[in-house]
């Protein structure tokens, strides 16, 4: 009987391993596809069947950071030899780099859009997590009349998809002059993430024993000192987990960024799909922009991975 049980357990373990591998492949396949397309020549990006083995090149990244136009006449050998190495990569793709009257290279808008994404996502994450932490602490430590109703009201702000309120918000923003501004997007993303931050942080706060603060208050600490010196260090893992999810949401948001911005404060998500080559969408350039866009989130999550794992289990445990 024991031998049969052991054999069944081994079979289940093998099936579990196979299942995990299949799910991992399904989740990693789009990332591999984007990364490989970012280094492909343009003529291999849409081949059927897909080209798996190819000579990698960085011309999509050069095209991503420069303005280009269709090459009507081939450059002379002297022009080709005098051009920088990266500009020759553009020539090889049948395009040329746009230059000003002074001969200066015209750079694309991707770097500024990428920086806008960083500014908006980081600022809104700090605000959402900061306000959410204070709010969650109040709900966790004090008796508030209508607490459940207030918490439900906070959560209800997440029930409508962003596109439903985008048009009214656009009209209000136009009236107060917040269209196409960093602060306009920061306010929207902060408000959108605040409910998630409050609910997640409340779970973390509830797990921190009140006796720690009571002991600090007996020792002469003020309530604020007890919060910053006792509660915040204990809630660090929860804050890190909440920050990761808020940052990812703000970083990937598309609808508000598309409707509320045009040029000055436009973020990367609505800008990347607009990249075109010689009359058609250049999928290698789009993939290159997407690949670079994935890096900050991947790095941020990797740096906080230990806090993230501990924070998720910490907030889920109940006494």
């Amino acid at each position: 009987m024991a031998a049969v049980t052991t054999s069944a357990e081994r079979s289940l373990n093998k099936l579990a391993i196979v299942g995990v591998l299949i799910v991992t492949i399904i989740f990693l396949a789009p990332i591999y596809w984007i990364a490989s397309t970012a280094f492909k020549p343009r003529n291999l990006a849409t081949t059927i069947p897909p080209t798996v083995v190819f000579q990698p090149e960085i011309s999509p990244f050069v095209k991503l950071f420069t303005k280009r136009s269709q090459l009507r006449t081939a450059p002379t050998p002297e022009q080709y030899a005098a051009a920088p190495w990266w500009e020759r990569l553009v020539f090889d793709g049948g395009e040329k780099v746009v230059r000003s009257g002074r001969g200066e290279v015209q750079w694309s808008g991707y770097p500024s859009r990428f920086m806008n994404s960083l500014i908006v996502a980081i600022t809104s994450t700090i605000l959402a997590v900061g306000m959410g932490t204070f709010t969650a602490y109040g709900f966790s430590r004090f008796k508030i009349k209508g607490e459940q109703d207030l918490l439900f009201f906070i959560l209800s702000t997440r029930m409508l998809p962003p596109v439903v309120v985008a048009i009214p918000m656009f009209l209000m923003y136009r009236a107060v002059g917040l269209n196409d501004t960093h602060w306009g997007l920061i306010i929207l993303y902060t408000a959108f993430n605040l409910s998630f931050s409050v609910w997640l942080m409340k779970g973390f706060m509830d797990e921190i024993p009140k006796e720690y603060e009571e002991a600090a208050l007996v020792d002469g600490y003020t309530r604020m000192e007890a919060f910053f010196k006792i509660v915040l260090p204990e809630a660090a893992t929860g804050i890190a987990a909440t920050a990761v999810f808020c940052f990812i949401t703000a970083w990937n948001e598309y609808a508000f960024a598309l409707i509320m911005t045009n040029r000055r404060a436009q973020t990367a998500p609505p800008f990347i799909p607009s990249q075109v080559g010689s009359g058609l969408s250049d999928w290698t350039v789009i993939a290159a922009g997407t690949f670079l866009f994935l890096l900050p989130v991947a790095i941020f999550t990797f740096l906080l991975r230990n806090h993230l794992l501990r924070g998720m289990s910490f907030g889920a445990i109940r006494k």
Side-chain angles (χ1 to χ4, degrees):
M1 186 66 181
V4 174
T5 303
T6 303
S7 177
E9 290 177 351
R10 289 177 179 174
S11 298
L12 289 175
N13 289 337
K14 290 180 180 178
L15 288 175
I17 293 173
V18 172
V20 170
L21 289 176
I22 293 174
V23 172
T24 302
I25 291 173
I26 291 173
F27 276 95
L28 292 181
I31 298 176
Y32 166 76
W33 196 271
I34 291 171
S36 62
T37 304
F39 292 93
K40 281 183 180 179
R42 185 179 179 183
N43 62 332
L44 299 181
T46 56
T47 56
I48 300 177
T51 303
V52 179
V53 180
F54 57 91
Q55 182 67 34
E57 58 180 47
I58 62 171
S59 58
F61 294 92
V62 176
K63 295 177 181 179
L64 176 66
F65 286 97
T66 56
K67 290 183 178 180
R68 312 170 318 280
S69 63
Q70 189 172 1
L71 190 62
R72 300 185 182 277
T73 58
T76 63
E78 293 77 12
Q79 291 175 330
Y80 188 88
W85 64 270
W86 51 267
E87 190 171 358
R88 291 198 291 268
L89 296 176
V90 179
F91 282 146
D92 294 339
E95 295 176 307
K96 64 179 180 179
V97 176
V98 176
R99 294 179 177 271
S100 65
R102 299 179 179 179
E104 298 175 347
V105 175
Q106 297 293 300
W107 303 104
S108 73
Y110 184 78
S112 62
R113 268 66 170 189
F114 191 89
M115 185 59 63
N116 288 340
S117 291
L118 285 175
I119 293 171
V120 172
I122 292 175
T123 307
S124 64
T125 298
I126 293 173
L127 292 175
V129 174
M131 290 189 288
T133 300
F134 280 105
T135 306
Y137 178 77
F139 279 116
S140 177
R141 291 297 187 264
F142 304 104
K143 293 182 179 180
I144 301 174
K145 187 177 181 179
E147 174 183 340
Q148 297 303 318
D149 294 333
L150 290 173
L151 286 172
F152 178 78
F153 174 75
I154 293 173
L155 182 63
S156 66
T157 59
R158 297 276 298 196
M159 294 181 180
L160 288 176
V163 70
V164 174
V165 297
I167 301 303
M169 291 302 301
F170 173 80
L171 296 176
M172 287 188 288
Y173 268 39
R174 187 175 64 178
V176 297
L178 284 176
N179 270 350
D180 202 18
T181 63
H182 293 96
W183 279 111
L185 283 184
I186 289 170
I187 292 171
L188 275 175
Y189 293 174
T190 301
F192 191 71
N193 279 327
L194 188 58
S195 58
F196 177 81
S197 177
V198 170
W199 273 78
L200 195 57
M201 285 305 303
K202 186 179 183 302
F204 298 136
M205 291 296 179
D206 289 342
E207 294 300 323
I208 301 174
K210 296 181 180 179
E211 290 77 11
Y212 293 171
E213 296 164 75
E214 293 171 355
L217 294 174
V218 171
D219 288 341
Y221 283 68
T222 64
R223 174 67 69 173
M224 191 63 69
E225 289 175 336
F227 174 77
F228 282 105
K229 296 183 179 180
I230 305 298
V231 177
L232 276 188
E234 291 291 327
T237 53
I239 293 173
T242 305
V244 168
F245 288 111
C246 289
F247 182 81
I248 291 174
T249 301
W251 185 255
N252 293 331
E253 204 283 324
Y254 180 82
F256 282 137
L258 178 65
I259 297 173
M260 301 294 184
T261 62
N262 181 26
R263 180 172 298 179
R264 288 183 303 167
Q266 188 182 48
T267 55
F271 176 79
I272 292 174
S274 67
Q275 297 303 293
V276 295
S278 301
L280 298 173
S281 295
D282 193 336
W283 295 109
T284 59
V285 177
I286 294 174
T290 305
F291 177 74
L292 293 179
F293 187 71
L294 290 173
L295 293 181
V297 172
I299 294 171
F300 184 61
T301 306
F302 178 79
L303 293 176
L304 297 179
R305 65 191 184 283
N306 293 331
H307 293 292
L308 180 62
L309 294 173
R310 169 60 182 150
M312 292 309 297
S313 61
F314 182 63
I317 295 173
R318 292 292 181 273
K319 294 181 180 179

